[in-house]
């Protein structure tokens, strides 16, 4: 009932905007419904709600961002479906979750692509605006990306070389085809499980090795089931806060500017905070009894060579933008040349 | 209170219980807020005179946890709940000697060692858990708090296995809260939480209104069940506050129910 009423309000706003005078739009309130997996009360939600409050004030109540936290609207795919039918207008997604709409977002998550956070910063500075523009063309307005951080390997036996992983059951997230391909090519045995089954999987021996950022490892409580953490940046993850372009375009130009400026600012803050959070969470992981395994330089080469050998295959996939991939690899090569 | 000069045999459970009863049966939170610090100082004094008195340590742990989590600034909450935690740790260590080395155990060892705690030690085990929870709440910005949640949950599970009716269903209520802290996509179990809350209400005979408030705040909001949320809170507002050992919590619960109900329309 509520949804139908909101949809009606929105379409009315669109009509007034598109057909009547643009100025008339200022008289219409827009209710933008946004889903998030983050629990209510979490830092993410606090920031999003603070942003929404500011948007509401600065648009004199014309734009209301309403949140559905705690994953109550389902996973990324379900939220996308609900956006398509107009039940929602936006969401906080994983980059991979929006990758089906815009493959550019799958790039940063390619396993072992980045060697360090400095490399991430150098690439993101150049490429983030392009990814945002590409996503906008695909129908979503984003206000910047939020770091999830590097995932590290978590295991019950020390892992420092690719060989250590062989014959072990390695977790791959459901739907993460790129990681699956990478693991298979490396001769590993990937076990596909939803993220919520990993804890039990580690307990029952269904999987031996998993990976997560320090923050995610703590939140998912995987630290209670593993003994080792390998200090290798396995893959970089990112969150994307985005709303449907149609809903955004229905706002007046002034209101659009306010939403973009305010939400962009809060997103940027979360992006910055994420790094410090992961640093602290990593300290806590070590304090809670996990042993850090450091990969030797010689072994690092082994990891990188193995994964780079499948770059041509990755590049050719429909869920990878080949041209962007080439540019990204070029940027990294340039960065490594200038930062030996 | 005469216990300040009493001998060790008198102070045990009786004094701590009387102390708690006096506080818990109050219907004036402002009086508690200004009056409890004196009790806390008295408890501190008693514990320093009788450092091995398990009942005093357990009572102290709970009172410091309660006061520290309800009535003070966030900064003071950290200090006061840390003391609660120290008292709770000492209580369980004295009651159950292997507990003195729990801090060195990893999670799997810890869970296994909890199995050895007997029902007779449920009191100190409960105080240990409550003080720990209060400290985690006071330091919830710290990732250590997130890391320790599964540990304290394991303690509550063990206590529940020993006697689910302990403290009129409080163990179920705490487990209900813990199972709602994370959404299902991140490992939370709202269905399990709902069963705990329902059982807690049953075991408390519906007289502990704070359980219904937490049920609404944690579960109903998590699963977006506005009907349940508003019904629970309306029940709380219409219920009598007087209940032995629950009056103070009920008065506080009513205040919170009003706030939550007022923001219902905005949240859902």
């Amino acid at each position: 009932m509520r949804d139908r009423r909101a949809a009606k309000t929105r379409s009315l706003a669109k009509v007034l905007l598109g057909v009547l005078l643009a100025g008339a739009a200022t008289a219409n309130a827009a209710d933008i419904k946004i889903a998030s997996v983050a629990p209510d009360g979490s830092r993410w939600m606090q920031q999003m709600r603070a942003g929404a409050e500011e948007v509401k004030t600065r648009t004199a109540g014309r734009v209301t961002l309403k949140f559905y936290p705690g994953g109550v609207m389902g996973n990324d795919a379900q939220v996308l479906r609900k956006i398509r039918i107009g039940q929602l207008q936006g969401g906080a997604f994983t980059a991979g979750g929006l990758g089906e709409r815009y493959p550019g977002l799958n790039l940063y998550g390619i396993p072992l692509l980045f060697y360090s956070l400095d490399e991430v910063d150098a690439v993101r500075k150049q490429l983030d605006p392009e990814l945002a523009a590409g996503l906008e063309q695909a129908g979503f307005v984003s206000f910047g990306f939020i770091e999830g951080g590097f995932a590290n390997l978590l295991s019950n036996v020390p892992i420092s070389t690719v060989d250590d992983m062989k014959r072990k059951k390695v977790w791959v997230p459901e739907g993460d085809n790129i990681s699956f391909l990478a693991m298979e090519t490396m001769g590993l045995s990937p076990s596909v499980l939803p993220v919520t089954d990993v804890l039990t999987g580690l307990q029952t021996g269904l999987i031996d090795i998993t990976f997560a950022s320090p923050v995610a490892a703590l939140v998912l409580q995987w630290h209670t089931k593993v003994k080792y953490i390998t200090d290798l940046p396995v893959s970089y993850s990112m969150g994307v806060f985005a709303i449907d372009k149609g809903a955004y375009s229905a706002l007046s130009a002034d209101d659009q500017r306010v939403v973009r400026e305010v939400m962009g600012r809060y997103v940027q803050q979360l992006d910055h905070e994420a790094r410090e959070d992961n640093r602290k969470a990593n300290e806590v992981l070590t304090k809670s009894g996990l042993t850090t395994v450091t990969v030797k330089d010689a072994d690092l080469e082994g990891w990188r060579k193995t994964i780079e050998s499948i770059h041509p295959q990755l590049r050719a996939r429909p869920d990878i933008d080949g041209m962007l991939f080439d540019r990204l690899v070029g940027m990294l090569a340039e960065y490594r040349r200038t930062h030996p | 209170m005469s216990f300040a000069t009493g001998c060790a045999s008198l102070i045990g459970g009786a004094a701590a219980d009387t102390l708690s009863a006096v506080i818990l049966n109050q219907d004036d939170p402002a009086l508690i807020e200004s009056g409890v610090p004196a009790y806390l100082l008295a408890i501190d004094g008693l514990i320093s005179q009788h450092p091995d008195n398990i009942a005093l340590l357990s009572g102290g742990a709970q009172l410091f946890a309660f006061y520290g989590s309800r009535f003070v600034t966030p900064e003071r909450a950290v200090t006061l709940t840390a003391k609660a935690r120290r008292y709770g740790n000492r209580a369980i260590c004295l009651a159950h000697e292997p507990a003195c080395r729990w801090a060195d155990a990893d999670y799997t060892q810890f869970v296994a060692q909890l199995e050895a705690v007997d029902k007779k030690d449920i009191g100190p085990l409960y105080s240990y858990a409550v003080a720990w929870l209060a400290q985690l709440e006071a330091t919830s910005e710290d990732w250590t708090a997130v890391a320790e949640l599964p540990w304290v949950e394991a303690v509550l599970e063990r206590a529940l296995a020993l006697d689910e009716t302990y403290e009129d269903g409080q163990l179920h209520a705490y487990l209900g809260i813990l199972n709602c802290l994370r959404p299902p996509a991140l490992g939370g179990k709202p269905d399990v939480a709902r069963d705990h809350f329902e059982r807690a209400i049953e075991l408390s005979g519906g007289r502990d209104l704070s359980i219904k408030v937490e049920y609404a705040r944690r579960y109903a909001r998590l699963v977006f069940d506005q009907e349940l949320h508003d019904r629970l809170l309306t029940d709380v507002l219409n219920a009598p506050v007087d209940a032995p050992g629950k009056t103070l919590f009920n008065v506080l619960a009513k205040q919170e129910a009003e706030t939550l109900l007022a923001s219902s329309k905005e949240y859902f």
Side-chain angles (χ1 to χ4, degrees):
Chain A
M1 180 63 197
R2 212 168 47 226
D3 294 332
R4 227 177 302 150
R5 203 163 49 225
K8 231 170 162 181
T9 313
R10 264 193 326 281
S11 50
L12 183 65
K14 274 185 195 167
V15 168
L16 285 166
L17 259 175
V19 184
L20 302 174
L21 300 168
T26 53
N28 290 282
D31 212 0
I32 297 178
K33 296 178 177 173
I34 297 162
S36 171
V37 168
D40 199 38
S42 64
R43 179 72 184 153
W44 259 64
M45 284 312 304
Q46 284 173 2
Q47 290 289 84
M48 290 294 118
R49 287 194 193 282
E53 205 48 49
E54 194 177 329
V55 165
K56 193 174 177 182
T57 310
R58 286 181 48 187
T59 61
R62 289 184 303 276
V63 183
T64 311
L65 303 180
K66 186 168 172 57
F67 292 99
Y68 295 85
V72 71
M73 286 293 176
N75 60 22
D76 285 346
Q78 289 162 326
V79 170
L80 282 174
R81 269 199 297 279
K82 285 173 181 164
I83 289 175
R84 200 177 288 139
I85 60 170
Q87 191 184 340
L88 290 170
Q89 286 72 49
F93 300 91
T94 59
L98 263 182
E100 71 163 72
R101 293 300 178 87
Y102 174 57
L105 290 175
N106 287 327
L107 285 178
Y108 294 167
I110 291 175
L112 298 168
L113 185 69
F114 296 106
Y115 295 177
S116 67
L117 285 167
D118 288 339
E119 290 191 356
V120 169
D121 290 343
V123 167
R124 280 192 56 187
K125 204 168 155 194
Q126 296 179 68
L127 219 49
D128 273 11
E130 280 186 55
L131 294 185
L135 182 61
E136 198 152 330
Q137 273 188 341
F140 282 94
V141 177
S142 74
F143 307 110
F145 306 135
I146 304 170
E147 178 160 287
F150 276 135
N152 300 117
L153 293 174
L154 302 160
S155 57
N156 277 313
V157 287
I159 303 290
S160 62
T161 66
V162 180
D163 270 354
D164 289 341
M165 307 246 302
K166 296 210 162 130
R167 290 173 301 282
K168 302 276 185 326
K169 288 159 275 178
V170 189
W171 173 63
V172 173
E174 210 174 39
D176 187 349
N177 302 324
I178 294 171
S179 295
F180 189 88
L181 172 71
M183 303 257 185
E184 267 200 332
T185 316
M186 289 163 88
L188 311 176
S189 336
S191 285
V192 179
L193 284 178
V195 70
T196 42
D197 288 354
V198 170
L199 193 70
T200 316
L202 286 167
Q203 196 168 2
T204 58
L206 194 62
I207 46 173
D208 304 309
I209 303 170
T210 184
F211 57 92
S213 69
V215 161
L218 287 178
V219 169
L220 294 162
Q221 305 189 346
W222 294 352
H223 65 297
T224 62
K225 300 282 185 266
V226 294
K227 293 193 174 71
Y228 297 94
I229 176 166
T230 302
D231 187 14
L232 174 76
V234 177
S235 63
Y236 182 77
S237 68
M238 201 167 71
V240 183
F241 175 59
I243 62 175
D244 175 57
K245 197 176 167 184
Y248 181 75
S249 306
L251 308 176
S252 72
D254 281 347
D255 288 350
Q256 285 182 19
R257 261 194 302 277
V258 170
V259 172
R260 202 183 276 272
E261 187 266 308
V262 173
M263 296 319 282
R265 181 156 33 83
Y266 281 95
V267 162
Q268 202 178 21
Q269 202 175 333
L270 285 171
D271 186 39
H272 285 301
E273 287 175 7
R275 191 152 302 180
E276 184 61 7
D277 276 341
N278 272 313
R279 196 189 59 72
K280 287 182 184 158
N282 195 50
E283 279 178 16
V284 170
L285 280 177
T286 317
K287 263 198 295 182
S288 77
L290 265 67
T291 306
T292 304
V293 180
T294 308
V295 180
K296 293 195 211 79
D297 284 350
D299 294 330
L300 264 180
E301 274 307 297
W303 286 97
R304 288 168 184 163
K305 285 227 167 72
T306 312
I307 206 81
E308 276 159 20
S309 72
I310 63 160
H311 276 182
Q313 263 174 285
L314 285 174
R315 191 199 179 285
R317 292 174 59 89
D319 50 5
I320 292 289
D321 181 326
M323 304 278 273
L324 266 182
F325 177 79
D326 293 343
R327 286 196 38 224
L328 171 50
V329 170
M331 282 176 200
L332 285 170
E334 175 62 14
Y335 183 87
R336 284 165 197 164
R337 196 181 60 75
T338 51
H339 298 79
Chain B
M1 300 292 287
S2 61
F3 59 80
T5 52
C7 62
S9 62
L10 284 178
I11 8 165
D17 286 352
T18 309
L19 193 62
S20 298
V22 165
I23 291 167
L24 297 176
N25 290 326
Q26 281 297 332
D27 61 2
D28 180 4
L31 180 65
I32 295 299
E33 190 172 354
S34 55
V36 164
Y39 285 101
L40 294 178
L41 289 174
I43 279 258
D44 262 352
L46 282 169
I47 288 175
S48 68
Q49 285 168 38
H50 309 281
D52 294 339
N53 187 310
I54 296 168
L56 261 184
L57 287 164
S58 294
Q62 285 193 48
L63 273 180
F64 271 92
F66 165 65
Y67 185 75
S69 56
R70 298 300 283 263
F71 292 107
V72 297
T73 60
E75 295 76 26
R76 286 186 63 211
V78 173
T79 317
L80 291 169
T81 59
K83 178 173 272 184
R85 178 93 190 275
R86 286 197 298 277
Y87 286 164
N89 287 356
R90 225 157 88 203
I92 190 66
C93 168
L94 287 164
H96 178 76
E97 195 272 333
C100 308
R101 291 178 299 282
W102 280 351
D104 305 324
D106 70 22
Y107 179 77
T108 311
Q109 294 162 342
F110 181 67
V111 173
Q113 289 173 20
L114 280 170
E115 290 296 310
V117 181
D118 291 333
K119 192 171 174 180
K120 70 171 175 54
D121 294 325
I122 193 167
L125 190 69
Y126 177 79
S127 299
Y128 170 71
V130 168
W132 197 348
L133 277 173
Q135 194 200 22
L136 295 191
E137 198 181 1
T139 58
S140 62
E141 301 281 304
D142 185 339
W143 287 103
T144 305
V146 178
E148 289 183 351
L149 277 172
W151 266 259
V152 72
E153 187 173 340
V155 178
L156 291 167
E157 290 284 3
R158 177 59 191 159
L160 190 84
L162 291 171
D163 180 5
E164 67 152 348
T165 67
Y166 191 74
E167 290 281 326
D168 304 328
Q170 285 294 314
L171 291 165
H172 279 289
Y174 284 126
L175 283 165
I177 293 171
L178 289 187
N179 278 291
C180 282
L181 288 184
R182 298 177 301 160
L186 299 176
K189 299 188 184 79
D191 292 350
V192 173
R194 185 194 53 222
D195 292 347
H196 278 304
F197 280 124
E198 292 285 350
R199 184 73 180 134
I201 291 172
E202 199 180 327
L203 289 172
S204 71
R207 286 183 299 274
D208 185 343
L209 305 180
S210 63
I211 299 173
K212 287 187 178 176
V213 168
E214 292 304 324
Y215 192 11
R217 188 208 325 257
R218 313 282 180 167
Y219 174 80
R221 287 196 171 214
L222 178 64
V223 302
F224 259 72
D225 188 340
Q226 186 176 16
E227 191 271 323
L228 175 69
H229 178 267
D230 292 359
R231 178 165 56 76
L232 286 165
L233 297 174
T234 310
D235 279 358
V236 168
L237 293 178
N238 292 332
V241 288
D242 288 328
K246 306 285 179 205
T247 307
L248 176 61
F249 286 115
N250 286 348
V251 173
L252 294 169
K254 279 190 180 240
Q255 291 172 355
E256 283 174 4
E258 243 174 88
T259 313
L260 285 168
L261 206 51
S263 64
S264 172
K265 198 162 163 264
E266 196 188 331
Y267 181 86
F268 289 101

